[in-house]
């Protein structure tokens, strides 16, 4: 346990130093085309993931890259940690996250998000948030961008009951001819939520076959949820999660 604490502390120091350096360097992106800021974002993401692997000792495996949609797409991902917020952008060169409005108020980071063309929403007003999302994602897909969303809205513990929000189906319907790329994963065993501790465990991300455009909202929602949950459950078992002993499996090295 002492080694885990030491590695976690070293990672926190290195990661926050990495973020500070890149956030300052990315200021130059404010006067450059938007694509420059997106490039900064990918470099920052790759660096953060690299630090986690070499310091914490996490072992990353990516599956199903052949299924990744290359054109405009709605990317719906499982959300267990900060890891996937960085990892996913490496596979979609024009990422547009739907994110809570409060993030854009953060110094430097929030300003970079705005320059990169992300879509902030006010989650306190559902109808207004839905209208804002619809307008923002339509504009982004017309620009050939990928819409990245976590349908559960927030990070969930490994093994927690799923809590998908139907708003993702409304976005899917509003996009018309844009398909959906589900993303299943298990990252929460190595990078748990609400703790400073990190563990040298497997992180697996898998891209299932895309869901075609043109389905009804109800059909899409059921298929998306089933695809993400079934595969994420299998990946969690492969990574060492056991429901009957979830506390011990997440805290062991």
């Amino acid at each position: 346990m002492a080694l885990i604490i030491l590695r976690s502390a070293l990672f926190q120091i290195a990661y926050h130093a990495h973020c500070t350096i890149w956030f300052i360097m990315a200021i130059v992106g404010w006067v450059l085309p938007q694509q420059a800021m997106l490039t900064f974002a990918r470099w920052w993401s790759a660096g953060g993931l690299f630090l986690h692997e070499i310091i914490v000792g996490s072992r990353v495996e990516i599956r199903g890259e052949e299924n990744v949609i290359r054109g405009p797409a709605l990317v719906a991902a499982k959300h267990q940690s900060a890891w996937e917020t960085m990892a996913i952008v490496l596979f979609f060169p024009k990422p547009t996250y739907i994110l809570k409005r409060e993030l854009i108020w953060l110094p430097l980071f929030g300003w970079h998000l705005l320059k990169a063309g992300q879509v902030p929403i006010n989650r306190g007003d559902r109808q207004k948030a839905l209208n804002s999302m619809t307008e923002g994602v339509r504009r982004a897909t017309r620009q050939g961008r990928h819409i990245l969303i976590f349908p559960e809205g927030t990070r969930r513990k490994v093994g927690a009951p799923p809590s998908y929000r139907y708003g993702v189906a409304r976005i899917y319907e509003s996009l018309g001819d844009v398909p959906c790329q589900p993303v299943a994963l298990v990252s929460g065993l190595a990078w748990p939520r609400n703790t400073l501790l990190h563990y040298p465990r497997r992180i697996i991300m898998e891209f299932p076959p895309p869901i075609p455009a043109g389905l009804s909202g109800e059909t899409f929602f059921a298929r998306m949820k089933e695809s993400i949950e079934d595969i994420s459950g299998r990946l969690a078992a492969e990574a060492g999660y056991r429901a009957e002993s979830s506390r011990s499996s997440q805290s062991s090295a």
Side-chain angles (χ1 to χ4, degrees), residues 2-249:
L3 183 57
I4 289 175
I5 294 174
L6 176 60
R7 283 182 165 183
S8 298
L10 290 174
F11 172 72
Q12 293 292 342
I13 294 170
Y15 178 69
H16 285 92
H18 166 76
C19 290
T20 300
I21 291 170
W22 276 103
F23 292 169
I24 293 173
M25 290 177 59
I27 291 175
V28 70
W30 296 352
V31 296
L32 297 175
Q34 190 178 76
Q35 186 58 43
M37 189 61 76
L38 296 176
T39 300
F40 274 116
R42 289 196 297 276
W43 290 346
W44 165 71
S45 297
L49 300 178
F50 176 72
L51 289 174
H52 200 267
E53 289 188 61
I54 64 169
I55 297 176
V56 176
S58 58
R59 304 179 300 280
V60 176
E61 181 179 347
I62 307 297
R63 302 176 183 174
E65 287 189 63
E66 68 278 4
N67 293 324
V68 173
I69 300 172
R70 301 306 173 186
L74 173 63
V75 182
K78 188 69 177 173
H79 196 17
Q80 295 179 349
S81 76
W83 182 88
E84 54 269 12
T85 63
M86 295 183 288
I88 291 175
V89 304
L90 301 180
F91 296 89
F92 300 94
K94 297 182 178 180
T96 300
Y97 269 109
I98 298 174
L99 43 83
K100 58 184 180 181
R101 182 183 59 179
E102 291 78 6
L103 289 177
I104 67 173
W105 298 337
L106 297 175
L108 290 183
F109 181 62
W111 306 335
H112 294 340
L113 291 175
L114 285 178
K115 174 63 180 181
Q118 307 308 292
V119 180
I121 60 170
N122 179 7
R123 297 193 297 183
D125 185 333
R126 290 194 176 187
Q127 187 57 49
K128 189 174 181 179
L130 181 59
N131 293 339
S132 178
M133 281 193 296
T134 301
E135 179 183 353
V137 299
R138 284 176 177 171
R139 181 172 60 251
T141 54
R142 286 196 297 268
Q143 298 170 351
R145 299 184 63 156
H146 307 100
I147 308 302
L148 279 54
I149 186 170
F150 298 118
E152 293 179 279
T154 189
R155 294 170 297 167
R156 307 279 293 174
K157 283 186 176 182
V158 179
S163 180
Y164 287 80
R165 301 181 180 183
Y166 196 76
V168 65
R170 300 191 188 283
I171 294 173
Y172 167 84
E173 289 182 305
S174 73
L175 292 176
D177 60 352
V178 175
C180 174
Q181 176 66 70
V183 182
L185 55 86
V186 56
S187 62
L189 296 178
W191 191 326
R193 62 194 289 267
N194 300 332
T195 178
L196 295 178
L197 294 179
H198 295 254
Y199 300 93
R201 288 184 168 274
R202 293 174 70 188
I203 296 177
I204 313 172
M205 183 164 67
E206 182 169 332
F207 297 98
I211 300 174
L215 304 177
S216 69
E218 291 80 5
T219 301
F220 160 76
F221 189 72
R223 284 186 59 173
M224 177 208 66
K225 180 179 177 181
E226 180 181 16
S227 176
I228 295 174
E229 286 302 309
D230 286 355
I231 297 175
S232 293
R234 169 171 54 79
L235 298 181
E238 288 186 40
Y241 172 76
R242 296 293 181 270
E244 66 275 9
S245 57
S246 59
R247 169 177 282 184
S248 61
S249 68

